[in-house]
Every structure is written in C-alpha cells, then in structure tokens.
Amino acid sequence: MSPQLITPELVGLDVDFGSAPTDVITRLAGMVASAGRTTDAAALADGAIEREAKAPTGVPGRVAIPHVRSSAVATPTLAFARLARPVDFGGPDGDADLVFLIAAPEGGGKEHLKILSTLARALVRGEFVDKLRAAATPNDAVAEIIAVVGGAPEPPKRVYRIAAVTSCPTGIAHTYMAADALVQAAQKRDDVDLRVEPQGSSGYDALEDSFIRDADAVIFAHDVAVRGQGRFAGKPLINAPVKRGIDSPDALIDAAVAAADDPDADVVKASTSAGDDGDAARQSTDSWPKRIQQAVMTGVSYMVPFVAAGGLLLALGFLIGGYDMANGWQAIATQFSPTNLPGNQVNVDGAVMTFERSGWLLYLGAVLFATGQMGMGFVVSALSGYIGYGLAGRPGIAPGFIGGASSVLLGAGFIGGLVTGILAGVIAYWIQSWTVPRWLGSLMPVVIIPLLTSLAIGLLMFLLLGRPLGAIMEGLQGWLESMSGSSAILLGVIIGMMMCFDLGGPVNKAAYLFGTAGLSAGTESSFQIMAAVMISGMVPPIALSIATFLRRSLFTPAEQENGKSAWLLGLSFVSEGAIPFAAADPLRVIPSMMLGGATAGAVSMALGTGVQAPHGGIFVIFAYDPWWGMFAALAAGVAVSAAAVIAAKQIWPNKAIEHAAQTA
C-alpha cells in the first residue's frame, strides 16, 4: 500500500522557521527527511527554492504552497507548517503563516499538480483555512488536510511505450497524415508515450533503438513493406492499413495497449533466412490476395521516383532542346560535347536532320532527354523488382528486376512487370520455406534463391508467358492510340471518377498506377492519361476549399479550418487533403467530388492535354502540353465539384451542422 500523503511527523504547528522563504523551505525539507520520505533533504530544498525563485507561491488567505519534483523523493509527500513568525512568499494579502511543501517524485507524472490544484480549490473556502489555524495538534491538522486532498496517493498509472510506423505507396500524404493523427491522439492521453517513424518517400528519421527496445507494443499502419522491420522483432504488433491510422488512431492505440498486456498477441517476427528486415509480407498474417495487393503498392512506391526523375528530365529536355530534338537525341548526346557543340544540322543514322535549335540549347536538351530515357528504362524493372521484394524480401529483388527487363524485351510492358514481380515474389517466398542443411543456409538468400527464381522467371517468360502478355500489351497500346473523340472522353470520365472515389484509397491508387506505369511507353496517349489522372486528382481539395469560403455556414468549424489549407494540397496533387471532408460527410462530398473529377478528366482528354511528370500538380506546369489545357480542365472540374457540394449540402442539410449552428 502506498504511504499516506501527510502524517503528524510532517506537520509543524506554531513554529519559527526563519524570516525568509528559503529558511522555511529548508526546514520543511528537513521534516520530510526526518519522516524518512527523502534521501537528500538538501537536494529537495534546493529544487523547491529554485522553483520559488522563478515565481512566488503565495496565494490569497496568507498561504504559501512551494512545490517541487525531485529524484530525492520516492512517493508524493505533503509537509505543513503553521508559522509563529509569518514570512513573505509574495502573496497578495501579506506574509504567509500557513505553508505547504509539496514534494513529488521526478517521474511521478502530474501527481503534484493534482495535489496543488486540490489545495488551491480548498483554500478558497475560508472554513478550511480557519480550521488549520485553530488545529490544536498535528493529528487535527492531518485530519483536516486528508479530508480535503485524500489519504494515500493513487499508485502511478502505467505509461505504455508504443512505437509506430506509417507508410503508403507514394510516401507523400497518407504516410504523414497517419503519423500526425496517431501523435495527436496520443497527446490527449496520459497512459501512452507514442513515437512515430513516418517512412516517407523523402527519407525518414528512424526511431531510436533505445525506444524500440523498451517499447511495449508496435503499430504498423502501412500499405507497403515496412523498412527495417526486424528492429521490432518480438514486440506485440497491431497491423493495419495506413488509412485506419488516419480514420481511427484512438482505436489503434487502444488495440496496442491491449496487445501489450496480452501474452497471446501477435508479435513482430524475427528476421528469416532471407536476411531481410523489411520483409513485411513474410511477417504478415494477411491472406495472399492482401499480401499481393500490398506488394504491388510497394512496387509502385519504389517505381514512382524512377518515373518522376525520368519524366521530368524528359520534359526539361523538350523545354530546352525543342520538341524536334527527340528525333535525334541519341546522336546529339553521344557525338558532341561541351567543346564540340552541334549546329542546327546533325547527321543522324546517315541522314542529315535540321533542328530548330543549336549549340548549347540543343546539346543540353539532348543530354537531359538521354538521362531521362535511361531513368524511364528502369520503370518496369523497378516495378517488378520491388513487387518481388514486397513478397519475399531481398531475395525477390534480382529475379523481379530480371523479369521486368524480360518483359520490356518481349514487349509485355508494365503488365508483364506486374506478372513477373508477383511470380518472382511467390517463387522466392516458396524456396525460402525449404529446409536445407546449415552449410547451405548461408548461400540461400544471396545465391540459391535469386538463381533458381531468376531461372524460373526466365523460362516462364520466354517459353510460356512473354508473347501472350506482349500481345495483350500491344492490344492495349493500340486501343489507347486509337482513342479519339467520345472514347477518349469516356476514358477521362472513368479515370476522373476513380481518382475522386476514395481519395488515395485502392481505387484511386489503381487509376494512378494505370497512369504512371503507362508513362514508360512514352506515347502521346500515355501522357494524356497521366494528365487526366493528375488533374482530376487535384480537384477535390481545391473545390472543397473554395466551397468553405463561399458558404462557410454549410461546413463545421473544423472543416472551415481545413479549407484554409486544402487548396494548396490540391494544387500539389495531394488528393488526401479532401479526406477530412469526405470522412465527416461522405454521402454529400464523395459524389460531388466524383462529378468534378469526371468533368476534369473529360475536358483534359478532349483537349488532348498531356503531362510527362507523374506528380507535382500545378508546380510542374512546364511538363504539360498544352499548359493551358491543364488550367481549363482543372477550372472546369473545380467549378462543378464546388457547385455540386454546395448544392448537396443546401438541398440535403447536414443535421449535425444545423444542430451545431443552433447551439452556437
């Protein structure tokens, strides 16, 4: 049982403890030491005196309450003195004759603040102060004080250490929104110490090893493989999609606390023979369809930087060297140098070609274009390789890359890359399950598994799958190239609706994958599809932001605040900026956003707008062709969505908002 907060040994009645606050505090600390409640009276007194110097602790009623948190105290303690010679503690109505010293353990949470607030409320009541001044014995004083602040302090509440990791396919929006939601939810609780490692595409600061070692549980809110997962081996695990981290952070934290106390909870498994800490799929208890879906998202996550760098370099090459440079970029980049710049006529494969630009502009444009082409050449291999990684860890990377390269060679494109990545991951995962002699075990992840899996992928692609997949890809490209008029507009409508349906969820990501993976083909139709994807994805946050400015009364105060920044997220092509609105009012918001997205996609396709960058929104305006087509499509989509959501909220009022307005 915890010792009582105050005992007769901690009370001094009608005592002379000196003429200054430092004297009184020192004598009270000595009483605490005499009662066996501190290991160092001097340290306790010094801490309280230092606190007193920052702000006097005198309160109305000629009372003072000096207080301190100190490592010299093991349990919350209250000492009391009724002074024969009052002392100036800076109170508003004169020198204090009643002094309380609150001594709390350094790691005791907010216990001393609870005592302080309870005393402060009691001191407002004159009868409590009168009883203390009239107390005949220390026992009488103790009885009066305990009646107010209670007896034995509550045992300190356990604080659970929770390590969390968030990640999403693009590593941009959901990753950080989930991290912020978890942190904000944890800050409202006094039983949780939560720290998050958002594994974003721009890099991340890993959690400290010491915090992970002492963690009671782990939360993985992710849609792609968690990097360095082996660091958390043995910890109780809560595994959830990243969107749940945004929508239900409190539920995830509750689940983690429960898992910390559950001996049968799922735990993060130690590294396998694959020798890879980041193999989320091997550690997951999810079904195979879910694992494959997560692995595909992992592949997309790692593919996007190749597309982004390659696509933007291609666009810069066109901007600097001119569009006709694409007809001879390879000859210009390899035959010339900074000391031997090309003129406007260049011999390309035995034929002399005339270009619009010459000199540095033509040469630099060709170099940028060539560099971008090299980056784009890895897109399918990266997609395939990292799908394999998502399913089997590092042993799946090499077979996946080889399968992706085979897909390009056989004309199977990104469809072949998807297939080879999944096959590489599944085969490598299966081989890892083999029981082999110990002497062979060390060779499995670096030699045997990549060798056998690559052999299997090569045979499957060249002997069985390559040509059928190539035919499918050729048919798809032919269909896209033949699109014009109503068929192109219909595709734009479908893409726009998909991008605005779940605002970063599986449907949105499927449309995004269709757009980004197609960029590797380098065709006008693929650029137009990417433009429809990006422009329609920009619509929801901008439209909702404008709607909150036009009709504030139709939105909650929280939505009005979100509207102040949502427009910038929209311009950056972060569709997730609309999630708070959709989560609060899905039946009105989502259909309205889909209507605007369909409009933007249709206008973009009708105008033949293309873009060679997979991300960036309005900030990669130089990558759009024509640039004004992007503005026209975006304006049309935003106008339709904003008008639709305002109309929906007016015609079909939100009862919760109406009630809030009536009670405001």
Side-chain angles (χ1 to χ4, degrees):
M1 178 180 290
S2 301
Q4 190 164 280
L5 185 67
I6 186 170
T7 62
E9 293 83 5
L10 294 165
V11 174
L13 298 181
D14 303 321
V15 293
D16 187 343
F17 277 176
S19 59
T22 55
D23 300 331
V24 176
I25 291 172
T26 301
R27 295 293 295 274
L28 285 169
M31 291 171 58
V32 174
S34 298
R37 305 289 281 271
T38 179
T39 57
D40 191 339
L44 178 63
D46 289 344
I49 291 170
E50 181 181 354
R51 167 63 185 81
E52 190 72 25
K54 294 178 180 178
T57 57
V59 297
R62 295 167 52 217
V63 179
I65 315 176
H67 49 277
V68 64
R69 292 174 65 175
S70 173
S71 59
V73 179
T75 187
T77 297
L78 183 63
F80 169 68
R82 188 172 68 198
L83 302 178
R85 180 168 41 154
V87 174
D88 183 10
F89 274 83
D93 49 5
D95 296 349
D97 63 341
L98 302 179
V99 182
F100 297 88
L101 173 64
I102 302 174
E106 193 168 44
K110 302 177 181 178
E111 190 64 36
H112 75 298
L113 296 179
K114 294 178 183 178
I115 300 170
L116 185 62
S117 61
T118 303
L119 272 177
R121 289 194 297 270
L123 292 170
V124 174
R125 303 196 301 269
E127 66 272 15
F128 174 58
V129 177
D130 292 340
K131 289 177 180 178
L132 291 179
R133 290 198 171 101
T137 66
N139 284 321
D140 293 338
V142 168
E144 296 297 340
I145 294 170
I146 288 178
V148 171
V149 300
E154 295 180 5
K157 183 181 293 186
R158 177 181 176 183
V159 176
Y160 293 85
R161 284 192 168 202
I162 299 176
V165 176
T166 60
S167 63
C168 68
T170 56
I172 298 174
H174 275 69
T175 297
Y176 298 101
M177 292 174 71
D180 291 342
L182 286 167
V183 169
Q184 291 170 12
Q187 287 174 344
K188 299 175 184 177
R189 308 170 60 138
D190 59 2
D191 63 335
V192 166
D193 178 10
L194 180 141
R195 301 183 193 179
V196 186
E197 182 181 292
Q199 295 187 351
S201 59
S202 60
Y204 61 95
D205 294 325
L207 290 173
E208 302 89 343
D209 290 339
S210 58
F211 185 83
I212 296 174
R213 183 182 62 249
D214 297 334
D216 297 297
V218 176
I219 295 173
F220 289 160
H222 65 120
D223 286 335
V224 298
V226 172
R227 286 169 267 181
Q229 184 163 325
R231 297 171 292 157
F232 306 92
K235 299 296 181 182
L237 172 65
I238 300 301
N239 220 345
V242 67
K243 198 169 186 297
R244 193 172 171 215
I246 300 172
D247 297 340
S248 309
D250 293 294
L252 285 184
I253 294 174
D254 288 338
V257 169
D261 293 329
D262 182 2
D264 297 323
D266 291 335
V267 298
V268 182
K269 297 177 183 177
S271 300
T272 67
S273 60
D276 190 280
D277 291 340
D279 180 12
R282 282 194 63 80
Q283 315 231 19
S284 174
T285 57
D286 292 329
S287 64
W288 270 104
K290 179 64 175 177
R291 294 188 192 189
I292 291 173
Q293 185 263 336
Q294 285 193 344
V296 171
M297 290 298 99
T298 299
V300 173
S301 177
Y302 283 98
M303 177 198 73
V304 165
F306 287 90
V307 181
L312 289 172
L313 285 168
L314 291 175
L316 285 171
F318 280 130
L319 182 68
I320 295 172
Y323 278 88
D324 57 351
M325 172 270 306
N327 299 322
W329 61 271
Q330 189 169 1
I332 298 169
T334 56
Q335 293 177 16
F336 297 92
S337 69
T339 58
N340 178 31
L341 296 173
N344 68 336
Q345 291 188 331
V346 177
N347 189 314
V348 179
D349 295 331
V352 177
M353 298 187 63
T354 302
F355 296 93
E356 178 185 356
R357 297 173 187 173
S358 62
W360 268 110
L361 290 177
L362 182 59
Y363 176 68
L364 184 57
V367 169
L368 292 173
F369 194 88
T371 308
Q373 286 281 37
M374 299 306 102
M376 294 299 289
F378 283 102
V379 167
V380 175
S381 292
L383 174 66
S384 179
Y386 287 108
I387 291 175
Y389 165 75
L391 286 169
R394 275 183 287 187
I397 294 179
F401 265 84
I402 292 170
S406 302
S407 297
V408 173
L409 178 64
L410 295 170
F414 82 91
I415 293 178
L418 286 170
V419 173
T420 56
I422 294 170
L423 288 174
V426 171
I427 293 171
Y429 183 94
W430 171 60
I431 296 175
Q432 287 179 64
S433 66
W434 293 359
T435 301
V436 298
R438 179 172 297 183
W439 63 268
L440 188 59
S442 60
L443 295 175
M444 290 291 287
V446 295
V447 178
I448 306 300
I449 298 174
L451 171 62
L452 295 180
T453 307
S454 299
L455 176 62
I457 293 297
L459 292 174
L460 284 170
M461 284 300 292
F462 284 96
L463 301 182
L464 184 63
L465 299 176
R467 287 171 179 80
L469 291 174
I472 293 173
M473 190 67 189
E474 184 178 353
L476 176 61
Q477 288 179 342
W479 173 65
L480 293 176
E481 291 292 345
S482 66
M483 281 193 319
S484 61
S486 60
S487 61
I489 293 173
L490 177 60
L491 181 60
V493 169
I494 295 171
I495 289 173
M497 294 177 69
M498 291 177 68
M499 287 299 296
C500 299
F501 174 69
D502 53 1
L503 303 168
V507 176
N508 171 285
K509 286 296 184 287
Y512 183 67
L513 173 61
F514 182 53
T516 53
L519 285 181
S520 61
T523 62
E524 285 299 318
S525 59
S526 65
F527 297 151
Q528 291 172 11
I529 290 171
M530 189 67 242
V533 166
M534 196 181 318
I535 295 170
S536 58
M538 294 162 63
V539 166
I542 300 174
L544 287 163
S545 180
I546 291 175
T548 60
F549 281 104
L550 294 178
R551 293 299 306 274
R552 289 175 57 86
S553 61
L554 298 177
F555 297 87
T556 65
E559 289 173 332
Q560 294 169 17
E561 284 299 313
N562 287 328
K564 294 178 181 178
S565 59
W567 62 272
L568 181 58
L569 295 174
L571 291 177
S572 305
F573 182 42
V574 179
S575 307
E576 289 86 347
I579 286 178
F581 299 90
D585 194 5
L587 296 180
R588 297 170 184 81
V589 170
I590 292 178
S592 301
M593 296 307 103
M594 291 176 66
L595 189 60
T599 302
V603 173
S604 176
M605 294 295 283
L607 296 176
T609 305
V611 67
Q612 297 183 38
H615 217 290
I618 197 173
F619 299 104
V620 290
I621 186 172
F622 62 86
Y624 288 91
D625 180 35
W627 60 267
W628 55 265
M630 180 268 292
F631 283 109
L634 182 61
V638 167
V640 169
S641 274
V645 76
I646 289 173
K649 286 178 176 286
Q650 284 181 322
I651 297 170
W652 182 17
N654 188 318
K655 300 299 182 183
I657 296 176
E658 284 188 336
H659 177 73
Q662 293 170 359
T663 57

